[in-house]
Amino acid sequence: MKKTLTAIIAGTSAIAAAIYLSGYGFIFKALAMNVKKGPVTPSIDDGEKFPSRSIPNLHPEPWEKDQNYNTGVLTEKLVGELKKTRASSLLVIRDSKLLYEEYWNDHDASSLMNSFSMAKGILSILVGCAIDDGHLKSENQLISSVFPHYKNSRYGKHLTFRHLMTMQAGLDWEEEYHHPFSENSKQYFVEDLAGQAFDIGFKEMPGHHYEYQSVAAQILGLALRKVIHKNLADYLSEKIWKPLGMESPAKWSIDKQGVEKAFCCIHATARDFAKIGQLIMQNGNWKGKQLMNEEYCKRMLTPTKTNDAFCFTIWADDEHQLQYRFFYGFLGQFIIMIPEKQLVIVKTGFYNRLDVDDKKRPLQVKIFAEEFARMI
């Protein structure tokens, strides 16, 4: 028995050493962190697991409530979807007023919830702000103008800010969420995001094909940090959180180097996520003041030629009678904008098996858009 136990310990130690030396040491960090602080998978309540940088607000302005606030009854179809996908919040804005909100699973109006990839769309907003502020010439500016090492790459020298936002970067990266040795898993827990991102090469010319790659957003965030000469969280506070009168301060998860996880992980309330949707649906105008260039906002919401379901890291559906745009995050986080109905819908949850259409759009978004459009 003693020899067997010794052999098991030795074998386990050898496997652990091999995993660490192969560059997968982040797995041990992930296991230790999750065993100590919660679920073993990412969740909308990951805010306390990682260090973060504050996104301060100023002069909070709560949503004005619609005269019919919370008087409506959800359809059976909506209730079924919310239960199935373990919803934590649902919020509906109509004509710039709070019409409906409900929370589940120990969440409420003050809960900070993980945006996951909705942060990618917010990153595109900040690119527009950087252009307005003169930090960038346009979204077509070369990344090599910020990071000169890309000039030495056959394909990298052609990479632009726009390519990163439209997921046409041509990077040698496979988007994979289902096993612990994937680059996405590493990205979520790694202590040096820049080191990982700059280690990724190219497999084709940027601008030729669409392929969703979270590392593209991280490179975008790193480039944006450098041109604005400040942290992304500070810039988001200055350009969006304070001008919109967000109800609560938010926070953005960072790595050990203090770099924001640009591909994800802005933790905010459902009410404040809704304000971002309202701002973009109004093409950057907030209470009569143009916070972002209107033409940039329109370009940001225009589908690309390579994928008519995708804009500047914001998704689109123009194929049905009811047209809409939406921010989309892992586990079913949505900010849905329906201009025709002047509706903004925010839904957060915890479900990793969403059905999608042939363009990878969650069918649940279509259900929410159509059901609320009929109800209102």
Side-chain angles (χ1 to χ4, degrees), residues 326-360:
F326 62 99
F327 296 70
Y328 173 23
F330 181 58
L331 299 179
Q333 324 310 318
F334 307 123
I335 304 172
I336 307 167
M337 300 160 285
I338 311 174
E340 176 189 340
K341 299 292 184 178
Q342 284 298 294
L343 283 177
V344 175
I345 303 165
V346 173
K347 178 260 175 181
T348 62
F350 185 45
Y351 189 75
N352 193 25
R353 295 183 298 278
L354 289 170
D355 295 325
V356 298
D357 64 16
D358 59 349
K359 295 179 180 177
K360 306 299 183 183

mmCIF file of all heavy atoms in Angstrom, residues 326-360:
data_model
loop_
_atom_site.group_PDB
_atom_site.id
_atom_site.type_symbol
_atom_site.label_atom_id
_atom_site.label_comp_id
_atom_site.label_asym_id
_atom_site.label_seq_id
_atom_site.Cartn_x
_atom_site.Cartn_y
_atom_site.Cartn_z
ATOM 1 N N PHE A 326 -27.297 43.933 -30.813
ATOM 2 C CA PHE A 326 -27.126 43.502 -29.437
ATOM 3 C C PHE A 326 -25.666 43.244 -29.079
ATOM 4 O O PHE A 326 -24.852 42.829 -29.908
ATOM 5 C CB PHE A 326 -27.968 42.261 -29.114
ATOM 6 C CG PHE A 326 -27.639 41.014 -29.913
ATOM 7 C CD1 PHE A 326 -26.837 40.016 -29.367
ATOM 8 C CD2 PHE A 326 -28.156 40.827 -31.189
ATOM 9 C CE1 PHE A 326 -26.550 38.865 -30.085
ATOM 10 C CE2 PHE A 326 -27.874 39.675 -31.916
ATOM 11 C CZ PHE A 326 -27.076 38.682 -31.358
ATOM 12 N N PHE A 327 -25.332 43.551 -27.811
ATOM 13 C CA PHE A 327 -24.090 43.153 -27.184
ATOM 14 C C PHE A 327 -24.317 41.726 -26.665
ATOM 15 O O PHE A 327 -25.387 41.428 -26.129
ATOM 16 C CB PHE A 327 -23.755 44.056 -26.000
ATOM 17 C CG PHE A 327 -23.484 45.502 -26.327
ATOM 18 C CD1 PHE A 327 -24.501 46.351 -26.747
ATOM 19 C CD2 PHE A 327 -22.200 46.024 -26.179
ATOM 20 C CE1 PHE A 327 -24.250 47.686 -27.018
ATOM 21 C CE2 PHE A 327 -21.933 47.363 -26.444
ATOM 22 C CZ PHE A 327 -22.969 48.195 -26.872
ATOM 23 N N TYR A 328 -23.278 40.894 -26.756
ATOM 24 C CA TYR A 328 -23.454 39.481 -26.418
ATOM 25 C C TYR A 328 -22.272 38.996 -25.593
ATOM 26 O O TYR A 328 -21.127 39.101 -26.012
ATOM 27 C CB TYR A 328 -23.583 38.681 -27.722
ATOM 28 C CG TYR A 328 -23.605 37.176 -27.620
ATOM 29 C CD1 TYR A 328 -23.990 36.518 -26.448
ATOM 30 C CD2 TYR A 328 -23.256 36.391 -28.727
ATOM 31 C CE1 TYR A 328 -24.021 35.133 -26.385
ATOM 32 C CE2 TYR A 328 -23.288 35.004 -28.673
ATOM 33 C CZ TYR A 328 -23.665 34.379 -27.505
ATOM 34 O OH TYR A 328 -23.692 33.004 -27.436
ATOM 35 N N GLY A 329 -22.557 38.468 -24.399
ATOM 36 C CA GLY A 329 -21.520 37.941 -23.533
ATOM 37 C C GLY A 329 -21.747 36.479 -23.185
ATOM 38 O O GLY A 329 -22.883 35.994 -23.145
ATOM 39 N N PHE A 330 -20.662 35.785 -22.946
ATOM 40 C CA PHE A 330 -20.658 34.375 -22.540
ATOM 41 C C PHE A 330 -21.667 34.123 -21.420
ATOM 42 O O PHE A 330 -21.881 34.972 -20.558
ATOM 43 C CB PHE A 330 -19.237 34.039 -22.081
ATOM 44 C CG PHE A 330 -19.007 32.629 -21.640
ATOM 45 C CD1 PHE A 330 -19.254 31.561 -22.485
ATOM 46 C CD2 PHE A 330 -18.499 32.360 -20.368
ATOM 47 C CE1 PHE A 330 -19.016 30.253 -22.079
ATOM 48 C CE2 PHE A 330 -18.253 31.057 -19.952
ATOM 49 C CZ PHE A 330 -18.517 30.000 -20.808
ATOM 50 N N LEU A 331 -22.296 32.971 -21.452
ATOM 51 C CA LEU A 331 -23.284 32.532 -20.464
ATOM 52 C C LEU A 331 -24.613 33.279 -20.567
ATOM 53 O O LEU A 331 -25.441 33.201 -19.674
ATOM 54 C CB LEU A 331 -22.742 32.634 -19.020
ATOM 55 C CG LEU A 331 -21.503 31.793 -18.719
ATOM 56 C CD1 LEU A 331 -21.055 31.999 -17.268
ATOM 57 C CD2 LEU A 331 -21.781 30.307 -18.954
ATOM 58 N N GLY A 332 -24.800 34.013 -21.669
ATOM 59 C CA GLY A 332 -26.111 34.629 -21.919
ATOM 60 C C GLY A 332 -26.305 36.012 -21.362
ATOM 61 O O GLY A 332 -27.345 36.308 -20.757
ATOM 62 N N GLN A 333 -25.314 36.891 -21.567
ATOM 63 C CA GLN A 333 -25.450 38.302 -21.169
ATOM 64 C C GLN A 333 -25.792 39.106 -22.432
ATOM 65 O O GLN A 333 -25.071 39.033 -23.426
ATOM 66 C CB GLN A 333 -24.153 38.834 -20.553
ATOM 67 C CG GLN A 333 -23.354 37.853 -19.710
ATOM 68 C CD GLN A 333 -24.157 37.124 -18.644
ATOM 69 O OE1 GLN A 333 -24.983 37.725 -17.968
ATOM 70 N NE2 GLN A 333 -23.920 35.836 -18.510
ATOM 71 N N PHE A 334 -26.856 39.888 -22.368
ATOM 72 C CA PHE A 334 -27.293 40.630 -23.550
ATOM 73 C C PHE A 334 -27.679 42.072 -23.216
ATOM 74 O O PHE A 334 -28.269 42.345 -22.175
ATOM 75 C CB PHE A 334 -28.546 39.992 -24.184
ATOM 76 C CG PHE A 334 -28.419 38.531 -24.490
ATOM 77 C CD1 PHE A 334 -29.327 37.619 -23.951
ATOM 78 C CD2 PHE A 334 -27.407 38.051 -25.302
ATOM 79 C CE1 PHE A 334 -29.227 36.273 -24.226
ATOM 80 C CE2 PHE A 334 -27.296 36.698 -25.581
ATOM 81 C CZ PHE A 334 -28.217 35.805 -25.046
ATOM 82 N N ILE A 335 -27.339 42.979 -24.123
ATOM 83 C CA ILE A 335 -27.956 44.306 -24.191
ATOM 84 C C ILE A 335 -28.548 44.379 -25.586
ATOM 85 O O ILE A 335 -27.816 44.426 -26.581
ATOM 86 C CB ILE A 335 -26.947 45.451 -23.997
ATOM 87 C CG1 ILE A 335 -26.168 45.322 -22.690
ATOM 88 C CG2 ILE A 335 -27.681 46.805 -24.044
ATOM 89 C CD1 ILE A 335 -25.033 46.326 -22.560
ATOM 90 N N ILE A 336 -29.869 44.357 -25.682
ATOM 91 C CA ILE A 336 -30.559 44.313 -26.975
ATOM 92 C C ILE A 336 -31.160 45.693 -27.261
ATOM 93 O O ILE A 336 -31.837 46.268 -26.404
ATOM 94 C CB ILE A 336 -31.681 43.255 -26.967
ATOM 95 C CG1 ILE A 336 -31.131 41.897 -26.508
ATOM 96 C CG2 ILE A 336 -32.334 43.139 -28.349
ATOM 97 C CD1 ILE A 336 -32.208 40.875 -26.170
ATOM 98 N N MET A 337 -30.924 46.207 -28.452
ATOM 99 C CA MET A 337 -31.421 47.530 -28.847
ATOM 100 C C MET A 337 -32.341 47.389 -30.051
ATOM 101 O O MET A 337 -31.937 46.850 -31.085
ATOM 102 C CB MET A 337 -30.230 48.439 -29.199
ATOM 103 C CG MET A 337 -29.262 48.635 -28.049
ATOM 104 S SD MET A 337 -27.619 49.204 -28.606
ATOM 105 C CE MET A 337 -26.945 47.691 -29.304
ATOM 106 N N ILE A 338 -33.587 47.863 -29.900
ATOM 107 C CA ILE A 338 -34.576 47.773 -30.975
ATOM 108 C C ILE A 338 -35.053 49.192 -31.286
ATOM 109 O O ILE A 338 -36.033 49.691 -30.690
ATOM 110 C CB ILE A 338 -35.772 46.894 -30.565
ATOM 111 C CG1 ILE A 338 -35.277 45.563 -29.960
ATOM 112 C CG2 ILE A 338 -36.680 46.625 -31.766
ATOM 113 C CD1 ILE A 338 -36.374 44.690 -29.404
ATOM 114 N N PRO A 339 -34.390 49.896 -32.201
ATOM 115 C CA PRO A 339 -34.724 51.307 -32.479
ATOM 116 C C PRO A 339 -36.175 51.530 -32.888
ATOM 117 O O PRO A 339 -36.801 52.506 -32.464
ATOM 118 C CB PRO A 339 -33.769 51.661 -33.621
ATOM 119 C CG PRO A 339 -32.633 50.705 -33.479
ATOM 120 C CD PRO A 339 -33.235 49.442 -32.978
ATOM 121 N N GLU A 340 -36.716 50.632 -33.690
ATOM 122 C CA GLU A 340 -38.087 50.788 -34.171
ATOM 123 C C GLU A 340 -39.096 50.896 -33.028
ATOM 124 O O GLU A 340 -40.088 51.628 -33.104
ATOM 125 C CB GLU A 340 -38.443 49.592 -35.066
ATOM 126 C CG GLU A 340 -39.879 49.583 -35.570
ATOM 127 C CD GLU A 340 -40.235 48.287 -36.270
ATOM 128 O OE1 GLU A 340 -39.313 47.562 -36.709
ATOM 129 O OE2 GLU A 340 -41.446 47.996 -36.384
ATOM 130 N N LYS A 341 -38.834 50.189 -31.945
ATOM 131 C CA LYS A 341 -39.730 50.177 -30.786
ATOM 132 C C LYS A 341 -39.209 51.030 -29.630
ATOM 133 O O LYS A 341 -39.850 51.103 -28.589
ATOM 134 C CB LYS A 341 -39.926 48.739 -30.293
ATOM 135 C CG LYS A 341 -40.546 47.803 -31.315
ATOM 136 C CD LYS A 341 -41.992 48.170 -31.595
ATOM 137 C CE LYS A 341 -42.631 47.158 -32.535
ATOM 138 N NZ LYS A 341 -44.070 47.467 -32.779
ATOM 139 N N GLN A 342 -38.038 51.649 -29.818
ATOM 140 C CA GLN A 342 -37.390 52.424 -28.758
ATOM 141 C C GLN A 342 -37.269 51.597 -27.478
ATOM 142 O O GLN A 342 -37.592 52.038 -26.370
ATOM 143 C CB GLN A 342 -38.131 53.724 -28.500
ATOM 144 C CG GLN A 342 -37.874 54.788 -29.560
ATOM 145 C CD GLN A 342 -36.397 55.188 -29.603
ATOM 146 O OE1 GLN A 342 -35.875 55.760 -28.660
ATOM 147 N NE2 GLN A 342 -35.726 54.871 -30.709
ATOM 148 N N LEU A 343 -36.769 50.386 -27.678
ATOM 149 C CA LEU A 343 -36.617 49.437 -26.575
ATOM 150 C C LEU A 343 -35.154 49.082 -26.354
ATOM 151 O O LEU A 343 -34.393 48.895 -27.315
ATOM 152 C CB LEU A 343 -37.370 48.142 -26.879
ATOM 153 C CG LEU A 343 -38.882 48.103 -26.725
ATOM 154 C CD1 LEU A 343 -39.412 46.739 -27.153
ATOM 155 C CD2 LEU A 343 -39.287 48.393 -25.285
ATOM 156 N N VAL A 344 -34.775 48.984 -25.091
ATOM 157 C CA VAL A 344 -33.499 48.409 -24.696
ATOM 158 C C VAL A 344 -33.810 47.309 -23.690
ATOM 159 O O VAL A 344 -34.527 47.544 -22.707
ATOM 160 C CB VAL A 344 -32.557 49.451 -24.070
ATOM 161 C CG1 VAL A 344 -31.289 48.771 -23.550
ATOM 162 C CG2 VAL A 344 -32.200 50.541 -25.069
ATOM 163 N N ILE A 345 -33.290 46.127 -23.944
ATOM 164 C CA ILE A 345 -33.533 44.987 -23.058
ATOM 165 C C ILE A 345 -32.188 44.480 -22.549
ATOM 166 O O ILE A 345 -31.268 44.241 -23.340
ATOM 167 C CB ILE A 345 -34.248 43.844 -23.810
ATOM 168 C CG1 ILE A 345 -35.562 44.336 -24.416
ATOM 169 C CG2 ILE A 345 -34.485 42.651 -22.880
ATOM 170 C CD1 ILE A 345 -36.145 43.388 -25.457
ATOM 171 N N VAL A 346 -32.064 44.339 -21.246
ATOM 172 C CA VAL A 346 -30.864 43.754 -20.648
ATOM 173 C C VAL A 346 -31.248 42.458 -19.960
ATOM 174 O O VAL A 346 -32.219 42.410 -19.203
ATOM 175 C CB VAL A 346 -30.220 44.708 -19.613
ATOM 176 C CG1 VAL A 346 -29.083 44.007 -18.873
ATOM 177 C CG2 VAL A 346 -29.704 45.966 -20.294
ATOM 178 N N LYS A 347 -30.494 41.419 -20.267
ATOM 179 C CA LYS A 347 -30.710 40.144 -19.583
ATOM 180 C C LYS A 347 -29.348 39.574 -19.208
ATOM 181 O O LYS A 347 -28.418 39.561 -20.016
ATOM 182 C CB LYS A 347 -31.458 39.171 -20.488
ATOM 183 C CG LYS A 347 -31.684 37.775 -19.883
ATOM 184 C CD LYS A 347 -30.662 36.771 -20.412
ATOM 185 C CE LYS A 347 -30.798 35.426 -19.728
ATOM 186 N NZ LYS A 347 -29.771 34.463 -20.228
ATOM 187 N N THR A 348 -29.196 39.147 -17.964
ATOM 188 C CA THR A 348 -27.977 38.464 -17.537
ATOM 189 C C THR A 348 -28.348 37.086 -17.011
ATOM 190 O O THR A 348 -29.481 36.858 -16.570
ATOM 191 C CB THR A 348 -27.225 39.247 -16.444
ATOM 192 O OG1 THR A 348 -28.061 39.356 -15.278
ATOM 193 C CG2 THR A 348 -26.854 40.643 -16.924
ATOM 194 N N GLY A 349 -27.395 36.163 -17.072
ATOM 195 C CA GLY A 349 -27.706 34.819 -16.627
ATOM 196 C C GLY A 349 -26.484 33.930 -16.538
ATOM 197 O O GLY A 349 -25.348 34.400 -16.590
ATOM 198 N N PHE A 350 -26.741 32.626 -16.452
ATOM 199 C CA PHE A 350 -25.664 31.679 -16.208
ATOM 200 C C PHE A 350 -26.000 30.360 -16.906
ATOM 201 O O PHE A 350 -26.433 29.395 -16.290
ATOM 202 C CB PHE A 350 -25.498 31.480 -14.690
ATOM 203 C CG PHE A 350 -24.344 30.611 -14.296
ATOM 204 C CD1 PHE A 350 -23.098 30.763 -14.889
ATOM 205 C CD2 PHE A 350 -24.486 29.655 -13.308
ATOM 206 C CE1 PHE A 350 -22.029 29.963 -14.522
ATOM 207 C CE2 PHE A 350 -23.426 28.851 -12.918
ATOM 208 C CZ PHE A 350 -22.197 29.010 -13.529
ATOM 209 N N TYR A 351 -25.798 30.341 -18.237
ATOM 210 C CA TYR A 351 -26.189 29.170 -19.022
ATOM 211 C C TYR A 351 -25.278 29.062 -20.232
ATOM 212 O O TYR A 351 -25.172 30.004 -21.024
ATOM 213 C CB TYR A 351 -27.650 29.309 -19.462
ATOM 214 C CG TYR A 351 -28.228 28.074 -20.099
ATOM 215 C CD1 TYR A 351 -28.588 26.969 -19.333
ATOM 216 C CD2 TYR A 351 -28.448 28.023 -21.476
ATOM 217 C CE1 TYR A 351 -29.139 25.836 -19.924
ATOM 218 C CE2 TYR A 351 -29.005 26.896 -22.073
ATOM 219 C CZ TYR A 351 -29.349 25.804 -21.293
ATOM 220 O OH TYR A 351 -29.903 24.683 -21.861
ATOM 221 N N ASN A 352 -24.633 27.921 -20.389
ATOM 222 C CA ASN A 352 -23.611 27.766 -21.418
ATOM 223 C C ASN A 352 -24.036 26.880 -22.580
ATOM 224 O O ASN A 352 -23.195 26.382 -23.321
ATOM 225 C CB ASN A 352 -22.319 27.189 -20.794
ATOM 226 C CG ASN A 352 -21.140 27.291 -21.725
ATOM 227 O OD1 ASN A 352 -21.099 28.144 -22.605
ATOM 228 N ND2 ASN A 352 -20.181 26.400 -21.571
ATOM 229 N N ARG A 353 -25.331 26.676 -22.756
ATOM 230 C CA ARG A 353 -25.782 25.809 -23.850
ATOM 231 C C ARG A 353 -26.867 26.496 -24.671
ATOM 232 O O ARG A 353 -27.865 25.880 -25.061
ATOM 233 C CB ARG A 353 -26.287 24.471 -23.282
ATOM 234 C CG ARG A 353 -25.198 23.657 -22.605
ATOM 235 C CD ARG A 353 -25.700 22.308 -22.128
ATOM 236 N NE ARG A 353 -26.763 22.430 -21.134
ATOM 237 C CZ ARG A 353 -26.546 22.653 -19.854
ATOM 238 N NH1 ARG A 353 -25.320 22.807 -19.408
ATOM 239 N NH2 ARG A 353 -27.553 22.738 -19.008
ATOM 240 N N LEU A 354 -26.678 27.769 -24.933
ATOM 241 C CA LEU A 354 -27.655 28.515 -25.709
ATOM 242 C C LEU A 354 -27.708 28.011 -27.154
ATOM 243 O O LEU A 354 -26.670 27.801 -27.784
ATOM 244 C CB LEU A 354 -27.301 30.005 -25.718
ATOM 245 C CG LEU A 354 -27.489 30.764 -24.404
ATOM 246 C CD1 LEU A 354 -26.873 32.154 -24.515
ATOM 247 C CD2 LEU A 354 -28.967 30.877 -24.056
ATOM 248 N N ASP A 355 -28.908 27.831 -27.664
ATOM 249 C CA ASP A 355 -29.071 27.479 -29.073
ATOM 250 C C ASP A 355 -28.762 28.699 -29.932
ATOM 251 O O ASP A 355 -29.127 29.826 -29.581
ATOM 252 C CB ASP A 355 -30.505 27.007 -29.337
ATOM 253 C CG ASP A 355 -30.836 25.720 -28.600
ATOM 254 O OD1 ASP A 355 -29.929 24.867 -28.472
ATOM 255 O OD2 ASP A 355 -31.987 25.568 -28.152
ATOM 256 N N VAL A 356 -28.087 28.481 -31.048
ATOM 257 C CA VAL A 356 -27.712 29.579 -31.941
ATOM 258 C C VAL A 356 -28.160 29.278 -33.359
ATOM 259 O O VAL A 356 -28.424 28.130 -33.718
ATOM 260 C CB VAL A 356 -26.185 29.827 -31.917
ATOM 261 C CG1 VAL A 356 -25.725 30.233 -30.525
ATOM 262 C CG2 VAL A 356 -25.416 28.588 -32.388
ATOM 263 N N ASP A 357 -28.242 30.337 -34.182
ATOM 264 C CA ASP A 357 -28.593 30.141 -35.583
ATOM 265 C C ASP A 357 -27.326 29.865 -36.395
ATOM 266 O O ASP A 357 -26.234 29.699 -35.841
ATOM 267 C CB ASP A 357 -29.381 31.337 -36.126
ATOM 268 C CG ASP A 357 -28.580 32.637 -36.134
ATOM 269 O OD1 ASP A 357 -27.335 32.596 -36.015
ATOM 270 O OD2 ASP A 357 -29.203 33.713 -36.263
ATOM 271 N N ASP A 358 -27.460 29.842 -37.713
ATOM 272 C CA ASP A 358 -26.311 29.489 -38.552
ATOM 273 C C ASP A 358 -25.229 30.560 -38.556
ATOM 274 O O ASP A 358 -24.124 30.334 -39.062
ATOM 275 C CB ASP A 358 -26.760 29.189 -39.984
ATOM 276 C CG ASP A 358 -27.469 30.366 -40.643
ATOM 277 O OD1 ASP A 358 -27.812 31.337 -39.943
ATOM 278 O OD2 ASP A 358 -27.685 30.310 -41.865
ATOM 279 N N LYS A 359 -25.515 31.733 -37.982
ATOM 280 C CA LYS A 359 -24.519 32.799 -37.880
ATOM 281 C C LYS A 359 -24.057 33.005 -36.441
ATOM 282 O O LYS A 359 -23.484 34.037 -36.105
ATOM 283 C CB LYS A 359 -25.088 34.095 -38.458
ATOM 284 C CG LYS A 359 -25.362 33.964 -39.958
ATOM 285 C CD LYS A 359 -25.945 35.229 -40.562
ATOM 286 C CE LYS A 359 -26.188 35.015 -42.051
ATOM 287 N NZ LYS A 359 -26.826 36.199 -42.684
ATOM 288 N N LYS A 360 -24.313 31.994 -35.603
ATOM 289 C CA LYS A 360 -23.863 31.963 -34.208
ATOM 290 C C LYS A 360 -24.564 32.987 -33.313
ATOM 291 O O LYS A 360 -24.069 33.315 -32.238
ATOM 292 C CB LYS A 360 -22.344 32.167 -34.112
ATOM 293 C CG LYS A 360 -21.527 31.196 -34.949
ATOM 294 C CD LYS A 360 -21.758 29.760 -34.539
ATOM 295 C CE LYS A 360 -20.884 28.803 -35.340
ATOM 296 N NZ LYS A 360 -21.150 27.378 -35.004
#
